[in-house]
Amino acid sequence: DELAEFTVRLSESAVIAHSHSSGCRRFTVVTPIDSCSTEVPDMLSVNLGAVVLCEAADALGWAFGTQLAPKSLAGGKGCLHYGGGHWRPVVVEVQRARGGFEHVQLSVGTWSQTIESFRGGGTQQRLRQKLLFNRMQAARAAWEAKAGSVEAVGLSAHDQDATVQANRSSGRPRQGKRR
């Protein structure tokens, strides 16, 4: 949790810039706390130190966002899989102090709070959420299909290893039966 807050604090200027451009003073960003896999289409390619504006999240461990930092990847949009515990949501509130100076107030959130924050809104907001949920569903399906093919390959390799091991322990020849 401290790593997540520290990462967002390092990108405070990008977070404040987003607040200015969007007009939002309170929003949720997410940051990876461990390396993340991006092996399927429509997933964000991120490294440690990234800060992503969370635009949608579901209870199945998927979210959609726009990358705010690092600057070289800012503006990239895509899905992320937070189900493995590699991502932390951080609630950001941009506050104005005397003299016009702005700073961010950070608090580590939970995924259930993040999901709840997207409920409600007008028709346009609900339609946007539906579009983003469809993108997350497509990414999840690709992720699961890839995981299924990896498991299938892993099982067949495991079965082959088990057969070789059984042949060795039973004293049977490896190449075939000798007569």
Side-chain angles (χ1 to χ4, degrees), residues 67-138:
Q67 201 153 358
L68 301 178
K71 197 173 202 173
S72 61
L73 298 174
K77 294 180 179 286
C79 299
L80 56 99
H81 183 244
Y82 71 82
H86 300 291
W87 292 85
R88 289 288 185 275
V90 178
V91 178
V92 175
E93 188 170 352
V94 179
Q95 300 176 340
R96 187 177 306 254
R98 291 186 180 152
F101 175 74
E102 290 181 316
H103 69 282
V104 294
Q105 182 72 34
L106 305 176
S107 60
V108 175
T110 65
W111 282 106
S112 59
Q113 291 170 332
T114 303
I115 293 165
E116 192 62 35
S117 72
F118 296 114
R119 300 205 191 276
T123 303
Q124 186 175 4
Q125 176 66 16
R126 286 193 306 272
L127 289 172
R128 177 166 168 65
Q129 290 294 306
K130 184 172 182 167
L131 173 75
L132 297 178
F133 282 123
N134 288 340
R135 286 182 71 174
M136 291 185 297
Q137 185 177 16

Side-chain angles (χ1 to χ4, degrees), residues 154-167:
L155 287 175
S156 63
H158 178 267
D159 290 344
Q160 289 173 0
D161 289 344
T163 302
V164 168
Q165 189 69 4
N167 287 343

